[in-house]
Amino acid sequence: MRRLSLAEVASYSEGVIDSSFEQLLVHSVSTDSRNIKGGDLFIALRGDSFDGHDFVQEAFADGAVAVMIEEGVEVDVNSSSPVISVRDTLNGLQDLAKNYRESLKLTGVGITGSNGKTSTKDFIFSVLSEGFSVSATAGNYNNHIGLPLTILEADDQHDFGVWEMGMSNPGEIALLASIGRPNIGVITNVGVAHIENMGSRDSIAIEKGALAESISGDGVVVLNAEDSYSRSIAERTQARTVTVGFGDADIRADNIAIGSASVSFMIEANGHREEAILPVPGKYMVLNALMAVAIGTNAGLSLDVIARGLSEVKLSGGRLQKREFRGAVIIDDTYNANPDSTLAAIECLAEMNCDGRRFAVLGGMAELGEISESEHHRVGSEAVNLGIDFVLSVGEIAAQVHEAATKGDSGHSQFFNNHLDCAEFLNNEIRSGDLILIKGSRSSAMENVIKNLDIS
């Protein structure tokens, strides 16, 4: 973050600060009093189970230069403590980020989609970093609080800001786009994630397309040619559109070869071809990488430089990460799950080179509403159809995966009530050469299966 005076912070956030403090400088912003550093502005947000106003004294004690609080809230601080008062601290944070972003000259890249946002962000960051200074979303800071904090991490030295924009309810993408003001939009796909809140896939497409609508006429929107909603989304934007895919697309991939730990393919873009190798398996990862190719070529990078960036990507935790286990390989994809991403991961498992047996260890998928049972059944059936040797389901919701898998091949499906029981089964069963995919929604906490394995 560029250093801001408290006068600037108050102006950006539509707040009020005592004139005697206006020239004090803020180095960064925090909404967590436990992570305060010297020079921070602490913003006292309210949550369902906490109130940041209760930690104002603690923030000052830990080095905060100032705090942002809501008008009318009594906090126990002395008159020498700089306090910015706003009507609502969440709106204050969002307004601060929105106006700060307007002061930056960087090119903003907004990324949304039902699956692959974080991996696509990681690929774009890696590619652009080959030639530019890039600020990007850390972890999953992609909501109405995380995005403002991410934007406030950027400064005048950055050429690009690469920002995820997540949603679970109507209207959220439009809000995030109004804060980030991206120059480039990337929509990975339209799936059924959060359909319980959104009602239908058509509604999800409308919500995701709000990002395309926010891009001005001199901007660019990157779309997935393999997704049936991309054509209608393209019609909603003034910007130039670029499609990526495996067939009829502006930027294409062919000659795809999937290994146990990587995937190679040929990029075809603007009449040129270049081989690329990703340090992660899966055909769907190629699609995510092609989004980064589109961003890289738009920025003027050559295909050989882009391919180098793709090969050096560091994917965020819990996304197709490999771990060794007694000569077997665990594919840790535990960060999150929905039907589309789970099926893609199972297809990846089926495609990978394997000298032993393939295990799909699956937790439940949340926020599916009325289609929950049918989608869990679909996952179980497809796992069997793809020839997965063992389908292991963990937790009450995942019992529906087991039901469908058992109908396909009862000898290869087992259900476990908890993570420990599943881990004990794997500890006894796994042999050298086996491949084990572990995946589930955040609420299913499938990383606990890995924590209970006897990995030395």
Side-chain angles (χ1 to χ4, degrees):
M1 177 178 170
R2 180 181 71 245
R3 293 186 178 186
L4 297 177
S5 70
L6 291 187
E8 289 176 297
V9 172
S11 175
Y12 285 171
S13 61
E14 299 186 6
V16 176
I17 181 75
D18 187 289
S19 60
S20 63
F21 301 124
E22 286 184 341
Q23 300 310 308
L24 292 177
L25 296 178
V26 170
H27 300 172
S28 58
V29 172
S30 177
T31 60
D32 188 341
S33 63
R34 297 168 296 184
N35 298 325
I36 292 293
K37 306 182 300 296
D40 278 358
L41 166 69
F42 172 62
I43 299 181
L45 298 181
R46 297 178 187 271
D48 293 335
S49 58
F50 70 90
D51 186 342
H53 295 86
D54 296 335
F55 304 99
V56 165
Q57 280 186 314
E58 181 180 328
F60 275 125
D62 290 339
V65 69
V67 300
M68 182 184 292
I69 65 170
E70 293 183 356
E71 296 173 358
V73 176
E74 295 292 334
V75 292
D76 187 16
V77 296
N78 59 50
S79 59
S80 63
S81 300
V83 174
I84 297 173
S85 297
V86 295
R87 290 185 179 180
D88 178 276
T89 47
L90 176 57
N91 289 340
L93 168 63
Q94 293 172 346
D95 288 340
L96 171 60
K98 179 178 180 179
N99 288 299
Y100 178 71
R101 190 272 177 269
E102 287 293 300
S103 76
L104 297 172
K105 296 181 180 180
L106 55 73
T107 298
V109 182
I111 306 166
T112 194
S114 296
N115 307 305
K117 292 184 294 296
T118 300
S119 298
T120 299
K121 177 261 298 181
D122 292 338
F123 283 123
I124 293 173
F125 175 80
S126 189
V127 165
L128 289 178
S129 293
E130 292 293 321
F132 304 96
S133 177
V134 187
S135 174
T137 301
N140 65 335
Y141 266 36
N142 62 14
N143 64 7
H144 61 297
I145 296 173
L147 176 66
L149 291 172
T150 298
I151 290 171
L152 290 166
E153 288 293 316
D155 61 33
D156 294 329
Q157 304 304 309
H158 291 119
D159 303 302
F160 284 88
V162 181
W163 303 317
E164 283 186 57
M165 297 182 177
M167 52 72 63
S168 57
N169 292 286
E172 292 180 340
I173 294 299
L175 169 65
L176 298 180
S178 72
I179 296 170
R181 302 290 179 91
N183 309 94
I184 300 171
V186 177
I187 303 177
T188 62
N189 68 336
V190 176
V192 296
H194 308 296
I195 199 168
E196 181 178 30
N197 300 331
M198 298 299 299
S200 68
R201 193 167 172 230
D202 287 347
S203 297
I204 294 170
I206 291 171
E207 179 68 16
K208 299 298 184 184
L211 175 59
E213 290 180 350
S214 76
I215 306 301
S216 64
D218 58 354
V220 179
V221 174
V222 181
L223 298 169
N224 177 359
E226 308 301 316
D227 190 281
S228 60
Y229 283 94
S230 289
R231 184 181 297 274
S232 62
I233 290 174
E235 294 172 351
R236 295 164 56 187
T237 183
Q238 309 171 59
R240 177 172 63 91
T241 60
V242 177
T243 57
V244 304
F246 304 123
D248 184 13
D250 299 315
I251 296 174
R252 297 182 292 276
D254 56 28
N255 296 342
I256 299 170
I258 299 172
S260 61
S262 64
V263 56
S264 64
F265 60 99
M266 292 295 297
I267 304 169
E268 183 173 336
N270 303 323
H272 299 280
R273 288 175 65 82
E274 184 75 27
E275 182 180 29
I277 300 175
L278 308 181
V280 61
K283 187 176 181 179
Y284 69 101
M285 281 295 183
V286 174
L287 265 178
N288 296 339
L290 288 177
M291 300 280 180
V293 176
I295 300 300
T297 56
N298 185 72
L301 297 177
S302 62
L303 282 188
D304 61 324
V305 171
I306 290 170
R308 184 172 67 233
L310 294 176
S311 71
E312 295 172 349
V313 69
K314 299 292 188 295
L315 293 183
S316 301
R319 293 168 175 84
L320 289 183
Q321 294 187 327
K322 283 183 59 178
R323 302 184 67 171
E324 299 294 329
F325 177 48
R326 299 187 202 153
V329 173
I330 296 171
I331 307 299
D332 178 359
D333 201 21
T334 57
Y335 174 73
N336 211 341
N338 59 54
D340 299 312
S341 68
T342 300
L343 288 170
I346 294 171
E347 289 171 5
C348 175
L349 176 66
E351 293 167 344
M352 292 170 65
N353 296 330
C354 178
D355 296 328
R357 302 160 299 169
R358 293 177 173 86
F359 292 69
V361 185
L362 306 172
M365 300 175 292
E367 297 186 10
L368 295 177
E370 294 179 353
I371 67 170
S372 180
E373 182 175 354
S374 62
E375 290 299 295
H376 282 89
H377 281 167
R378 183 163 70 103
V379 165
S381 297
E382 190 62 17
V384 172
N385 292 339
L386 287 169
I388 304 304
D389 299 294
F390 286 83
V391 181
L392 309 183
S393 309
V394 184
E396 181 179 355
I397 299 177
Q400 297 158 352
V401 174
H402 172 65
E403 289 176 5
T406 299
K407 292 177 182 178
D409 187 337
S410 59
H412 290 166
S413 178
Q414 296 199 42
F415 172 75
F416 303 92
N417 286 308
N418 56 65
H419 306 107
L420 181 59
D421 289 347
C422 181
E424 288 180 353
F425 174 84
L426 291 170
N427 283 329
N428 293 324
E429 182 66 34
I430 293 304
R431 302 194 296 258
S432 179
D434 290 343
L435 274 175
I436 308 103
L437 167 72
I438 304 181
K439 189 167 182 63
S441 286
R442 289 302 324 126
S443 57
S444 67
M446 291 299 288
E447 66 274 11
N448 289 330
V449 173
I450 299 174
K451 290 177 182 178
N452 284 292
L453 294 177
D454 294 334
I455 300 177
S456 56

